[in-house]
Amino acid sequence: MRINCPYCGARGLEEFTYRGDATVKRPESIEESARDAWVDYVYLRDNPAGLHKELWHHGAGCHSWLEVTRNTVTHEITAVELAAKGR
Amino acid sequence: MAGNQINRLSGKGLVDHGKTVSFQFDGEAFSGHPGDTLASALLANGVRLVGRSFKYHRPRGILTAGSEEPNALVELRTGARREPNTRATTIELYDGLDATSQNRWPSLKLDVLSVNQLATPIFGAGFYYKTFMWPAAFWEKLYEPMIRRAAGLGYPSKLSDPDHYEKSNAFCDVLVIGSGAAGLSAALAAAKAGARVILCEEDFELGGRLLAESDEIDGKPAQEWARAAAAELESLPDCRIMRRTTVFGAYDGGVYGAVERVSDHLPVPPEHAPRQRLWRIVAKQSVVCAGGIERPILFGNNDRPGVMLAGAVRTYVNRFGVAPGRTAVVFADNHDALRTATDLAAAGVAVRAIVDPRPQASAAAEQVAGEAGALYIRGGIENVRGALGIKSVRVKDAQGGTKEFDCDLLATSGGWNPALNLTTHLGGKPAWDSALSCLVPGEDLPPGMQVAGAAAGQFSLQACLASGEAAGAEAAKHCGFSPSALRRPAPAQDRAPATPVWYVENSRGKAFVDFQNDVAVSDVKLAAREGFRVPDHVKRYTTLGMATDQGKTSNLNGAAILAEATGRYLGAVGSTTFRPPYTPVALGALAGHHRGKDFRPTRLAPSHRWAEEQGAVFVEVGAWMRALMYPKPGEAAQETVNREVSNTRTNVGVCDVSTLGKIDVQGPDAGELLNRVYINAFAKLPVGKARYGLMLREDGFAMDDGTTARLAEDHFYMTTTTANALKVSQHLEFCQQVLWPELDVQTVSATEQWAQYAVAGPKARKVIEALLDAGQDISNDAFPYMACGKFTVCGGTPARIFRLSFSGELAYEIGVPARYGDALIRAIIKAGAEHGIAPYGTEALGVMRIEKGHAAGPELNGQTTAHDLGLGKMASTKKDFIGRFMGEREALNEAGRAAMVGLKPLNPKTRIASGSHLVKRDAQATGANDEGYVTSMAYSPELETFIALAMLSNGPARMGEVVKVCDPLRGNETLAEVCSAHFVDPEGGRLRV
Ligand SMILES: [Zn+2]
């Protein structure tokens, strides 16, 4: 598998490490009312067969965290963006 | 001496008749020619018997002329270079080659274990499951050794491989796999269009089947055409030809795995050359031209030496100039095999008969038979005589009459299967072509892959040339090139419909499907009777297709027998799943240079060379080599550690702490970022101060700890544990890029940029003062405990000094740019000499941190929280930080949770083993009574007792209680008193002087 890093170009899988679902959002609140949101954030993940937006770290390259859209069935990668986009 | 090559056809083939190469097989000397394989050279010398089979030890010969060979496996070379299970059909002959037959005892011709044949009922389908079910204890002692002795392949050398292996990457527009008519055409079309082309060929000669047939292309012999095509490719600037290179797997993203046998055709690799090279080829497009694999028709005793595939016979005659026999019978159900009769007759081999098992007579076959001087018989082979090599075959004709033919060669063909393995490696399924009666590549090919030639079911020469050219041009077009118009039109539909015959009914003796694993037609039928219907299940049950050849010559025949036995259409039965590698790949090639001490790189601390000079003993910590201790001559290990600890506590010691992770955090929001990753506050840490911090994972468990110093308003310098340096660095990058990209802060690892030494002990200040350039003050008032600052030492060298202490003594950590690390340790030792300085290693460091009750790796074990480590009060209640919300869950803060305490054995000389479990004093050592575990232990020279750190249920409330420490692994139980983890100087007075 190869990932097309916006900084470094297409690089082999072994330069990256996988983290997982890129769509989960860390809750803003630390009030008790946010408990379900925290449990969701820390523990619960969808496991879709198909397109999956996920985080990869280019540790052997530019050290960017990337948001990669990958088809979990075919491994086809359809989009790669910097996680810190807009900055 | 059988060196006369009795079966060599003088002047025929592509071998170099003018040169002779000597080799040995089973200790006997033979000769061949450059251009031979071991198989062709053995056949040239009249050697037909080359091995014994896996289960029944049946005599076996050479079936094929390529990498699909199931039978002719030998041990190649001797000593440390001995390699078992190499195929004689792919071994390029070299001078001095030494090969040995396998799986026979005491000799190839007389094999004691061939009595296994008499016990065939035991070894039938599923014998592993049926025969050796019980009693279970018999497995290890009786069944397994018996099976291992009786059934097997060759033996590997147990010596270390003296050769080395490389890994390399290659990139191209178009990868062409295979160099037959289709592959050469594809490569030419793509390369001439301007594409960067890599052409891989597993053989040492380009040409594929063109080398093996008496065909003509454009009016010249096919071999000549192939040579010209290869020469043209060589002349093109962006075409790379890789001979002896097997593309063994197709992977995601246009990545192909290939292994190049760089030196396998030489006795010993040339100096600095690898034996093999593993390639990762990244290709925008690929054209698979892997050709076809012929399938046999099965009949009784079809495994006898002298029974060969018809196409292989032509290879030996036309390419190698070898007659595999003197008198032949051809048994085939297709036109292609008729060429074998023609070529044999032309080479002077007597062809006795062409036996055709199809229901309808073939006029073409009858004509060829007439021209070759052979009888044409409709019927089948009923039996074969001659155990060590066939002597005659018995043919049963369509009317039921039988006729015996004396012959030493039986050429058989049931048609060809496309070598489509690479097309299915990403999960695509092959499709059944009912006209051709074979599997062809399906619709769902790996992205960017095309298939041409026989691999695509385009079996005729014209179709190979045309489909290859078209696929090469199409691939170039996909890469943005404009190929010129195609020269070769696709031939008018010439696909000869096949009438496949898979096996001969009611023939005598065992009819083998899978030669290498000794699976017979009857085994597949038995599996079907027992309810197996899916080819992948039959494969596991019978072991059909599970040998090193992965069933290249047997899978489809097996599926056909299964289809018939279960009354289904073969096209609906499907096939087994093909997975990489296409042919076996040596583990050495996959490992490359990553073996032995080069398994992974080791990192050396700045003081490494100096420490070596001191006779240090080293230990691997993560990727680092750290000094464990600095023994003096005659010292026992415990004496060394005691001395290093005592000297540090009474005089002064020095320890290289450069391996701790160091992370530079800079920017206006640096303090805010640290506030969010540590449980305690950092935003208001004054410039010139350092603070201990603990960070959690988001689920509330401790992740790492260390000190962070503020060097400027917008500049922090963080340290992490050695083991977690990378993890924490990645974590900070995650926080800064993913969680809070709005923060104006950057982080970068500085671990390797700074050499850092801890100078610890009552006389530490005197040592540092001696290093400082004039006019700088590190007195207790000017530079108190937890101070940090920038200084210069040793005449202008920039240094960062931190008044931190892991040992509990007055201590300084002094850091200089890594290039000064070696000079600085020498300067420290020199400056400290008059104060009795001695280096200490990680062992002494560990003793002192246990004496001080500092948590480290064994306590930060992924199961402990801030509360468990006794650091709960450090957590800020005024801010959010990573792990705060989940860390506040009730269960993580219960008093009953195991929390950190110290332990002292009642008998100070009793060692407490790390990992021991704790129960109440009078309780039994059972899981139900378990109250915690020992994380770290040491001998304290200051207290003159063994001590330990432990996680104990409700521990902090149990000071003074005596608990039982149980070490069931070693069978020890001992009593220990629960105490504070701060064994030495609990008030910390020594830190602040
Ligand atoms: Zn990158």
Side-chain angles (χ1 to χ4, degrees):
Chain A
M1 206 163 96
R2 292 169 70 76
I3 296 178
N4 196 7
C5 173
Y7 282 131
C8 311
R11 312 293 304 176
L13 178 66
E14 70 283 358
E15 294 188 6
F16 299 85
T17 45
Y18 179 73
R19 182 178 173 105
D21 194 346
T23 63
V24 291
K25 286 276 167 280
R26 190 174 188 271
E28 302 266 330
S29 166
I30 51 171
E31 300 305 316
E32 189 53 32
S33 57
R35 174 165 292 263
D36 288 351
W38 277 103
V39 171
D40 275 5
Y41 173 66
V42 173
Y43 293 114
L44 296 183
R45 295 292 182 273
D46 290 333
N47 183 21
L51 290 184
H52 189 227
K53 216 175 214 197
E54 55 201 21
L55 288 167
W56 290 79
H57 185 240
H58 197 186
C62 61
H63 281 232
S64 291
W65 279 94
L66 305 175
E67 256 183 43
V68 174
T69 309
R70 180 178 67 101
N71 187 321
T72 57
V73 179
T74 64
H75 295 318
E76 191 193 2
I77 291 172
T78 51
V80 183
E81 289 180 281
L82 294 176
K85 49 186 174 274
R87 226 177 70 86
Chain B
M1 166 104 185
N4 50 0
Q5 304 195 40
I6 49 167
N7 286 338
R8 185 71 71 177
L9 301 164
S10 64
K12 207 164 163 41
L14 305 173
V15 295
D16 184 351
H17 291 269
K19 290 196 186 121
T20 297
V21 172
S22 308
F23 70 100
Q24 281 200 12
F25 179 66
D26 277 350
E28 202 176 332
F30 295 100
S31 68
H33 296 306
D36 264 326
T37 60
L38 174 59
S40 69
L42 286 171
L43 289 170
N45 285 281
V47 177
R48 291 193 291 170
L49 172 63
V50 296
R52 289 270 174 176
S53 72
F54 181 69
K55 247 178 358 189
Y56 302 130
H57 290 239
R58 286 172 69 102
R60 290 285 164 81
I62 294 161
L63 182 71
T64 76
S67 62
E68 69 272 32
E69 176 64 30
N71 267 352
L73 305 184
V74 298
E75 286 175 2
L76 184 62
R77 298 185 167 88
T78 55
R81 289 195 168 88
R82 188 175 69 198
E83 193 183 336
N85 312 328
T86 55
R87 289 147 292 171
T89 50
T90 62
I91 299 167
E92 202 172 333
L93 198 67
Y94 57 82
D95 206 39
L97 181 148
D98 192 347
T100 315
S101 59
Q102 348 187 107
N103 206 30
R104 83 290 192 270
W105 186 81
S107 79
L108 186 53
K109 285 188 179 137
L110 172 72
D111 179 84
V112 171
L113 287 166
S114 60
V115 293
N116 279 1
Q117 292 180 58
L118 307 175
T120 50
I122 296 177
F123 285 97
F127 78 98
Y128 279 103
Y129 311 107
K130 292 171 186 163
T131 316
F132 305 113
M133 281 294 284
W134 57 269
F138 277 29
W139 253 112
E140 206 176 312
K141 292 209 165 59
L142 183 64
Y143 298 146
E144 196 181 318
M146 184 178 121
I147 293 170
R148 284 198 189 284
R149 178 94 185 90
L153 296 166
Y155 290 92
S157 166
K158 288 178 181 166
L159 302 170
S160 175
D161 189 338
D163 298 327
H164 70 103
Y165 299 81
E166 281 182 0
K167 293 186 190 183
S168 200
N169 295 283
F171 300 83
C172 63
D173 294 316
V174 181
L175 168 66
V176 179
I177 299 157
S179 73
L184 288 172
S185 302
L188 277 172
K192 285 204 278 195
R196 284 188 308 158
V197 171
I198 293 178
L199 173 62
C200 290
E201 168 56 57
E202 67 174 345
D203 203 290
F204 50 93
E205 205 74 79
L206 299 189
R209 285 301 299 173
L210 296 180
L211 306 176
E213 306 289 7
S214 45
D215 281 324
E216 284 199 347
I217 301 173
D218 301 340
K220 49 186 172 190
Q223 287 98 338
E224 240 175 74
W225 182 87
R227 232 188 332 267
E232 187 176 1
L233 287 171
E234 304 263 18
S235 75
L236 294 168
D238 277 337
C239 180
R240 173 180 205 162
I241 297 175
M242 296 172 71
R243 292 176 177 81
R244 305 184 176 98
T245 303
T246 304
V247 177
F248 60 77
Y251 302 92
D252 300 303
V255 174
Y256 294 82
V259 65
E260 180 185 8
R261 289 170 293 279
V262 181
S263 307
D264 278 0
H265 61 297
L266 304 168
V268 171
E271 209 181 348
H272 307 305
R275 159 153 245 109
Q276 296 181 353
R277 188 179 287 128
L278 189 78
W279 285 93
R280 176 165 34 185
I281 303 173
V282 181
K284 290 181 188 147
Q285 294 277 312
S286 70
V287 186
V288 174
C289 306
I293 295 174
E294 200 166 21
R295 60 200 191 207
I297 302 175
L298 316 178
F299 49 84
N301 293 318
N302 60 334
D303 62 328
R304 294 304 192 203
V307 178
M308 290 177 79
L309 289 174
V313 170
R314 297 201 295 281
T315 307
Y316 290 113
V317 171
N318 295 323
R319 175 176 173 182
F320 296 108
V322 171
R326 284 288 156 197
T327 315
V329 168
V330 175
F331 176 43
D333 64 4
N334 59 80
H335 278 51
D336 183 69
L338 299 176
R339 298 200 274 173
T340 304
T342 306
D343 291 354
L344 280 173
V349 174
V351 183
R352 293 277 186 244
I354 293 178
V355 182
D356 185 344
R358 288 175 289 187
Q360 305 293 325
S362 157
E366 200 157 0
Q367 192 192 335
V368 169
E371 288 162 5
L375 285 173
Y376 175 68
I377 304 174
R378 283 190 42 244
I381 305 294
E382 192 193 45
N383 201 357
V384 173
R385 258 188 349 100
L388 301 181
I390 61 172
K391 296 191 173 116
S392 68
V393 297
R394 180 192 290 270
V395 176
K396 190 176 196 176
D397 66 28
Q399 287 71 45
T402 60
K403 194 166 165 49
E404 189 97 7
F405 290 93
D406 287 343
C407 64
D408 57 1
L409 174 64
L410 177 56
T412 177
S413 173
W416 290 74
N417 291 326
L420 50 75
N421 303 50
L422 289 169
T423 69
T424 66
H425 281 179
L426 293 192
K429 291 259 178 289
W432 178 251
D433 187 314
S434 55
L436 297 173
S437 281
C438 63
L439 291 164
V440 294
E443 297 286 300
D444 194 11
L445 295 176
M449 179 184 282
Q450 302 186 58
V451 196
Q458 305 276 348
F459 290 117
S460 78
L461 177 58
Q462 288 314 311
C464 284
L465 292 166
S467 66
E469 186 190 23
E474 186 67 18
K477 208 184 285 177
H478 281 298
C479 298
F481 299 94
S482 309
S484 42
L486 299 182
R487 287 179 53 236
R488 295 183 192 275
Q493 190 66 298
D494 70 344
R495 301 179 349 145
T499 314
V501 175
W502 305 100
Y503 69 101
V504 179
E505 299 256 17
N506 303 319
S507 65
R508 304 268 176 83
K510 265 197 175 308
F512 285 91
V513 193
D514 181 330
F515 291 66
Q516 197 173 125
N517 266 353
D518 276 346
V519 180
V521 173
S522 54
D523 293 319
V524 180
K525 288 186 171 177
L526 177 60
R529 284 202 301 280
E530 292 180 328
F532 289 90
R533 296 176 64 83
V534 179
D536 265 315
H537 295 168
V538 172
K539 172 176 172 174
R540 270 104 193 141
Y541 191 59
T542 63
T543 71
L544 191 161
M546 284 177 69
T548 64
D549 66 330
Q550 288 286 292
K552 289 185 176 60
T553 55
S554 59
N555 282 332
L556 194 64
N557 288 67
I561 297 159
L562 177 67
E564 186 201 81
T566 54
R568 287 176 299 165
Y569 170 53
L570 175 52
V573 167
S575 73
T576 52
T577 310
F578 302 117
R579 295 189 180 85
Y582 175 65
T583 49
V585 178
L587 290 176
L590 295 172
H593 286 299
H594 299 273
R595 61 180 229 187
K597 75 174 176 51
D598 298 322
F599 179 67
R600 62 176 186 190
T602 39
R603 302 166 83 186
L604 302 183
S607 65
H608 190 84
R609 201 194 311 168
W610 172 84
E612 270 180 340
E613 290 166 17
Q614 311 310 310
V617 175
F618 294 94
V619 60
E620 279 186 53
V621 181
W624 291 97
M625 298 298 289
R626 294 190 73 179
L628 180 71
M629 58 181 79
Y630 297 82
K632 291 192 166 162
E635 240 177 16
Q638 187 65 54
E639 289 167 1
T640 304
V641 176
N642 290 353
R643 174 179 56 73
E644 291 177 4
V645 170
S646 301
N647 186 64
T648 303
R649 294 227 184 278
T650 53
N651 291 315
V652 57
V654 59
C655 179
D656 190 334
V657 293
S658 309
T659 63
L660 291 181
K662 307 183 209 72
I663 299 169
D664 225 47
V665 185
Q666 295 197 41
D669 292 327
E672 179 58 26
L673 179 69
L674 296 177
N675 246 10
R676 297 183 190 188
V677 298
Y678 279 127
I679 67 170
N680 44 334
F682 274 80
K684 291 185 182 132
L685 179 69
V687 173
K689 287 286 181 194
R691 182 171 288 169
Y692 172 81
L694 177 72
M695 57 180 78
L696 308 181
R697 308 190 307 218
E698 197 68 274
D699 64 2
F701 288 87
M703 177 171 143
D704 198 60
D705 69 347
T707 53
T708 290
R710 190 166 208 168
L711 297 172
E713 196 56 37
D714 59 354
H715 186 187
F716 290 79
Y717 182 70
M718 173 188 284
T719 62
T720 74
T721 59
T722 298
N724 284 336
L726 268 179
K727 189 167 140 187
V728 172
S729 170
Q730 193 184 50
H731 176 63
L732 291 186
E733 282 163 358
F734 173 77
C735 293
Q736 178 245 331
Q737 295 177 35
V738 182
L739 294 184
W740 305 300
E742 69 278 7
L743 294 183
D744 190 357
V745 56
Q746 294 292 332
T747 64
V748 66
S749 166
T751 304
E752 284 165 3
Q753 280 65 35
W754 290 87
Q756 203 150 310
Y757 299 99
V759 179
K763 297 173 185 168
R765 185 174 296 127
K766 291 198 176 76
V767 179
I768 299 295
E769 277 170 348
L771 298 169
L772 278 180
D773 293 340
Q776 302 175 97
D777 186 1
I778 55 160
S779 67
N780 195 39
D781 291 338
F783 198 70
Y785 180 56
M786 296 309 268
C788 69
K790 295 181 179 176
F791 297 83
T792 63
V793 296
C794 305
T797 306
R800 293 172 178 177
I801 299 180
F802 311 86
R803 201 171 152 192
L804 306 172
S805 179
F806 201 44
S807 60
E809 300 299 324
L810 166 67
Y812 299 83
E813 286 189 14
I814 175 167
V816 292
R819 62 187 178 280
Y820 300 120
D822 181 77
L824 183 61
I825 184 65
R826 293 174 200 274
I828 290 171
I829 293 294
K830 203 172 155 196
E834 60 177 296
H835 307 293
I837 198 166
Y840 62 97
T842 55
E843 195 65 26
L845 181 78
V847 170
M848 289 189 276
R849 73 99 189 162
I850 293 168
E851 286 180 329
K852 289 296 294 178
H854 293 314
E859 289 76 37
L860 297 165
N861 58 15
Q863 302 174 44
T864 50
T865 64
H867 163 270
D868 304 342
L869 297 168
L871 302 172
K873 291 203 174 64
M874 245 170 70
S876 165
T877 54
K878 298 199 184 86
K879 57 162 190 167
D880 180 19
F881 55 83
I882 294 212
R884 173 168 174 180
F885 188 90
M886 297 307 263
E888 285 175 356
R889 286 177 286 175
E890 301 81 7
L892 295 188
N893 295 283
E894 276 174 2
R897 271 187 71 82
M900 195 165 96
V901 293
L903 288 180
K904 270 188 207 172
L906 296 191
N907 177 353
K909 291 198 172 68
T910 305
R911 179 185 289 268
I912 294 176
S914 292
S916 296
H917 278 253
L918 307 176
V919 298
K920 289 201 170 67
R921 179 177 192 154
D922 302 320
Q924 292 244 295
T926 65
N929 293 333
D930 189 16
E931 294 202 297
Y933 54 96
V934 176
T935 53
S936 305
M937 63 74 67
Y939 178 78
S940 168
E942 181 159 337
L943 304 178
E944 296 183 329
T945 175
F946 279 99
I947 56 173
L949 299 178
M951 307 302 298
L952 176 65
S953 175
N954 203 16
R958 295 168 68 174
M959 294 297 145
E961 183 182 330
V962 172
V963 295
K964 188 150 75 180
V965 183
C966 312
D967 178 8
L969 269 183
R970 296 173 192 79
N972 293 338
E973 290 188 356
T974 185
L975 296 176
E977 184 190 325
V978 180
C979 60
S980 159
H982 308 296
F983 293 95
V984 167
D985 186 25
E987 282 76 40
R990 297 181 195 176
L991 300 166
R992 296 182 170 83
V993 292

